[in-house]
Amino acid sequence: DTGVSQNPRHKITKRGQNVTFRCDPISEHNRLYWYRQTLGQGPEFLTYFQNEAQLEKSRLLSDRFSAERPKGSFSTLEIQRTEQGDSAMYLCASSYANNSPLHFGNGTRLTVT
Amino acid sequence: GQNIDQPTEMTATEGAIVQINCTYQTSGFNGLFWYQQHAGEAPTFLSYNVLDGLEEKGRFSSFLSRSKGYSYLLLKELQMKDSASYLCAVRIPLSGSARQLTFGSGTQLTVLP
């Protein structure tokens, strides 16, 4: 069990550029979540996959954000036309079942300049 | 909307006991989780309550009262390494079998020598 893996760990980009992050969940976990966290705040839910199906997406999420999990294993989160307000830590988490705790990766820290 | 409240900061002395409170008002309830997060690291799971009462796990205990929308995390025999942010999170049912973990803003605990 290598845990949830995210890359890159850090990303600096200029405003207006597109960025893509990757998450590899724990192998037997079929549920995958993306969260965003800013300094001094708790993680904020973005979206949820069960296997390859995206079952829930936050209403607060801009349409510049899109996530995929094409084969029900790894997932990608893309942000198009980045804005300075997108600067945050993007956390991925996975779980085995509805009643089991979420296991988080170490996150990707995005800085938009 | 979902509302989860916890104190922003707490300070305690090494060897002491500290209680971190959490109150919640959410559209549904399917369990309450406590996570620990050190600066720059992923949140790590500490405890889970779905029924009323106390769950004990070594130096950590968590209590839940669903009728009062209230939980607390109790940390005994505090150690310097317990200095971290403690996140209260409520699992909320979504459509179908989906569940969403909604977090409070976290309580930053500082343990002093």
Side-chain angles (χ1 to χ4, degrees):
Chain A
D1 178 2
T2 56
V4 178
S5 175
Q6 292 187 247
N7 64 80
R9 288 297 307 274
H10 304 274
K11 178 71 177 178
I12 300 174
T13 191
K14 292 185 177 178
R15 189 175 50 193
Q17 298 294 306
N18 299 344
V19 293
T20 300
F21 312 139
R22 177 178 169 125
C23 171
D24 288 89
I26 294 171
S27 58
E28 62 268 26
H29 288 185
N30 61 4
R31 289 159 171 81
L32 186 147
Y33 305 78
W34 284 98
Y35 281 81
R36 175 172 61 192
Q37 187 176 27
T38 54
L39 197 62
Q41 299 296 314
E44 174 191 23
F45 172 77
L46 294 180
T47 190
Y48 159 68
F49 288 86
Q50 186 167 324
N51 299 311
E52 66 276 7
Q54 187 174 19
L55 296 186
E56 197 74 21
K57 188 174 175 180
S58 169
R59 278 168 282 181
L60 302 175
L61 201 61
S62 159
D63 57 9
R64 297 183 295 104
F65 287 70
S66 61
E68 293 183 342
R69 194 182 183 199
K71 296 181 181 178
S73 56
F74 75 91
S75 175
T76 57
L77 177 69
E78 180 182 18
I79 309 174
Q80 295 182 325
R81 306 181 302 283
T82 52
E83 301 173 357
Q84 286 188 317
D86 297 332
S87 295
M89 176 73 84
Y90 289 84
L91 293 165
C92 176
S94 68
S95 70
Y96 176 71
N98 276 336
N99 293 330
S100 57
L102 271 59
H103 296 264
F104 283 87
N106 283 326
T108 295
R109 180 167 296 284
L110 173 67
T111 302
V112 181
T113 62
Chain B
Q2 322 296 353
N3 201 34
I4 300 173
D5 287 321
Q6 48 183 133
T8 305
E9 296 177 327
M10 296 184 74
T11 303
T13 305
E14 194 175 14
I17 299 172
V18 70
Q19 177 174 313
I20 302 174
N21 296 324
C22 171
T23 57
Y24 63 90
Q25 289 177 305
T26 56
S27 57
F29 180 85
N30 198 242
L32 188 142
F33 292 77
W34 284 94
Y35 280 79
Q36 180 191 61
Q37 187 176 27
H38 287 99
E41 297 183 10
T44 54
F45 169 72
L46 289 179
S47 71
Y48 167 60
N49 295 70
V50 66
L51 300 175
D52 291 352
L54 189 68
E55 293 284 339
E56 296 187 81
K57 211 174 180 182
R59 295 189 299 115
F60 295 81
S61 304
S62 57
F63 172 83
L64 175 67
S65 169
R66 288 171 296 169
S67 62
K68 295 181 180 177
Y70 167 70
S71 174
Y72 67 72
L73 178 70
L74 194 71
L75 292 78
K76 302 175 188 174
E77 301 168 15
L78 280 173
Q79 302 174 10
M80 300 295 289
K81 67 178 183 179
D82 297 329
S83 292
S85 179
Y86 291 85
L87 299 161
C88 173
V90 174
R91 187 163 55 201
I92 298 167
L94 302 173
S95 56
S97 63
R99 305 286 186 268
Q100 172 186 320
L101 206 57
T102 298
F103 286 84
S105 295
T107 298
Q108 183 63 46
L109 174 66
T110 302
V111 180
L112 301 174

